[in-house]
Amino acid sequence: MTGARSHEGPIRRLLLRLGSASVACALLGSPTYAQTAEETKPAEKKSWSEVFTDPEDGAFDASEWLLDKSGFLPIPIVITEPAVGYGGGVALAFFSESMRDAAAHAKETGHVVPPDIYVLGGGMTENGTFAYFGGGMLSFDEDRWRYRGGVGKVHANLDFYGVGTNTGKDLRVGYTVDGIVSSQQVLRRLGESNTYLALQWIYLSLDTSFETNTRFPFFPSSLEMAKRSSGLGLAVEHDSRDNIFTPSRGWKGSVDAIFYDPDWGSDNRMQSYRAHVFAYFPLDGSEAPRWILGTRVDGRAARGDVPFYQNPFIDMRGIPVGRYQDENVGVTELELRWNVTPRWAAIGFLGAGKAWGTHYDFSESGTEVSKGLGFRYLLARRLGLYVGVDVAKGPEDNAFYIQVGNGWR
């Protein structure tokens, strides 16, 4: 998927997870998978059992249904985020045309233009956190221009542990944020490449309250409790992965920055930055590799009068949203996928992250490690879309995640 989505903070990231981010990334991405003549020809009328059975191996498969899907599509949301507990919800997506039709158009034009997609949905968790949202993605001028954006209402009950990785659970204090989160993006393709230039506007209007009247001594000014944050930013992103859903080769990377300022409606003046690369390497060199190594390098930083709920944080499976945050965050992660059979795959992952800057420098800050195992099932063979479950062990807790497509965002 192309476009800037990096300046999330705990609140924006949580809203993405409540909105079934894995499903959204699969649906809102550009379908860059290869299409065969069989896949792009009009589908014949089939029974439901035939639609969900792959004629190649007789296994359950949703390729036929997803390729021909246009109009409305209900999407269940399963929430397993440790920061807010278990929960669920539903989203309703509307497709302007099917992916099969988009692929047929690509045969005529030489370029795959994704269908326009609109989404409405909402979800709730066991600790009282809830959100509802709406948004979509549109393409213009043969996909030279794209718009992607959304607006959400969020009421989140979270815990704040202070800043840095050298903080203990005894510093934990519960807080609630309630308000509006908006993300708007306009993207321009550079020539005929897979590189985009993106202009982004982030707007948050949030009321914050704590469980007690006690304030942490490391809130130096009222600006760190800013109600409105409005930021404009630029990003350059490249995506050469062979598949947007579950890649086996290629890489995706971006460098972006966003600037919050009272001149465009922000209570605080701050800057936020991110640079990241996700790269995938087939280890056996075959066209259909059985072993794939994924690597992630991700760095984030914030400067100025940063509200505590917009601090960069260590974003890895096994670590709750916002648990370790500071002015700077760095994460490295490895993921090994073994395609045991044509349908089933096993996953192993290991990552480490640091948060530093306010009280400790990089060398003094602790390193937080997360690791885990998972499995995948090839739900849609012709789209290369895997789904499954990951179980992760973090510094304090264990957690599991429902994954649709790639686990990195």
Side-chain angles (χ1 to χ4, degrees):
M1 186 177 69
T2 54
R5 281 183 36 165
S6 58
H7 306 280
E8 291 164 359
I11 305 307
R12 290 194 65 223
R13 184 60 172 167
L14 177 62
L15 186 61
L16 284 170
R17 292 189 182 181
L18 286 172
S20 190
S22 297
V23 174
C25 285
L27 293 176
L28 298 181
S30 170
T32 55
Y33 48 83
Q35 294 290 330
T36 67
E38 175 194 359
E39 290 164 344
T40 58
K41 69 182 182 182
E44 300 174 355
K45 185 68 174 178
K46 297 180 179 179
S47 67
W48 276 98
S49 61
E50 290 176 316
V51 168
F52 288 98
T53 301
D54 191 337
E56 183 174 285
D57 60 5
F60 178 82
D61 188 277
S63 298
E64 192 78 21
W65 186 63
L66 290 173
L67 282 168
D68 287 322
K69 188 64 186 176
S70 61
F72 290 97
L73 172 67
I75 305 169
I77 298 172
V78 179
I79 304 167
T80 60
E81 167 55 46
V84 293
Y86 302 127
V90 66
L92 187 65
F94 177 82
F95 291 74
S96 63
E97 65 176 349
S98 71
M99 286 186 275
R100 191 189 300 273
D101 290 338
H105 294 162
K107 282 187 170 292
E108 301 171 2
T109 64
H111 178 70
V112 178
V113 178
D116 295 340
I117 305 172
Y118 307 86
V119 180
L120 289 173
M124 175 176 284
T125 75
E126 60 184 342
N127 82 339
T129 293
F130 67 86
Y132 45 89
F133 51 87
M137 188 187 86
L138 309 176
S139 299
F140 305 95
D141 191 19
E142 295 298 325
D143 203 32
R144 294 182 180 89
W145 293 90
R146 290 182 180 181
Y147 162 79
R148 181 173 59 232
V151 178
K153 161 71 174 181
V154 61
H155 177 96
N157 299 312
L158 298 166
D159 291 322
F160 181 62
Y161 294 87
V163 294
T165 52
N166 295 351
T167 57
K169 286 189 174 182
D170 56 321
L171 292 177
R172 181 184 65 83
V173 63
Y175 71 96
T176 299
V177 292
D178 184 272
I180 302 298
V181 179
S182 171
S183 176
Q184 310 298 324
Q185 302 168 3
V186 176
L187 304 97
R188 169 67 182 184
R189 183 187 295 271
L190 301 182
E192 298 300 318
S193 70
N194 290 319
T195 301
Y196 281 80
L197 179 66
L199 174 66
Q200 184 178 27
W201 175 43
I202 302 296
Y203 180 80
L204 297 89
S205 179
L206 300 171
D207 291 318
T208 308
S209 60
F210 289 88
E211 286 182 351
T212 69
N213 294 324
T214 303
R215 292 282 300 279
F216 282 124
F218 37 82
F219 283 153
S221 74
S222 60
L223 287 175
E224 293 199 3
M225 297 289 289
K227 178 178 179 179
R228 292 185 307 167
S229 297
S230 179
L232 298 175
L234 288 172
V236 177
E237 181 170 320
H238 175 81
D239 191 350
S240 61
R241 296 171 298 173
D242 64 336
N243 185 284
I244 63 167
F245 303 107
T246 310
S248 295
R249 51 174 56 85
W251 65 279
K252 172 187 175 183
S254 76
V255 177
D256 47 83
I258 195 163
F259 303 90
Y260 296 82
D261 195 281
D263 288 343
W264 40 85
S266 185
D267 289 341
N268 55 320
R269 183 176 283 109
M270 59 169 284
Q271 308 83 45
S272 184
Y273 310 95
R274 184 187 182 189
H276 75 279
V277 173
F278 306 153
Y280 303 86
F281 306 94
L283 299 184
D284 53 12
S286 65
E287 193 64 30
R290 297 193 66 186
W291 294 89
I292 298 96
L293 178 65
T295 61
R296 172 193 177 198
V297 179
D298 201 334
R300 312 183 194 204
R303 297 292 184 270
D305 299 314
V306 184
F308 73 97
Y309 51 78
Q310 283 186 268
N311 277 323
F313 65 95
I314 296 177
D315 183 11
M316 288 195 303
R317 286 163 288 189
I319 298 180
V321 164
R323 173 62 179 90
Y324 299 103
Q325 54 180 282
D326 209 325
E327 292 179 351
N328 310 287
V329 165
V331 171
T332 60
E333 198 170 359
L334 298 175
E335 180 179 280
L336 183 64
R337 185 171 89 241
W338 174 28
N339 293 327
V340 183
T341 74
R343 283 285 170 180
W344 292 93
I347 296 286
F349 53 91
L350 173 67
K354 277 180 173 283
W356 74 95
T358 301
H359 304 295
Y360 303 95
D361 61 24
F362 181 85
S363 61
E364 296 172 327
S365 178
T367 299
E368 307 304 324
V369 175
S370 177
K371 54 192 174 183
L373 300 171
F375 71 87
R376 299 288 186 272
Y377 178 77
L378 184 56
L379 180 67
R381 176 182 58 82
R382 284 179 283 174
L383 301 181
L385 172 61
Y386 284 78
V387 300
V389 175
D390 290 336
V391 178
K393 178 176 178 55
E396 289 94 15
D397 302 304
N398 299 329
F400 78 94
Y401 302 86
I402 306 296
Q403 299 289 7
V404 180
N406 181 34
W408 293 336
R409 308 285 175 244

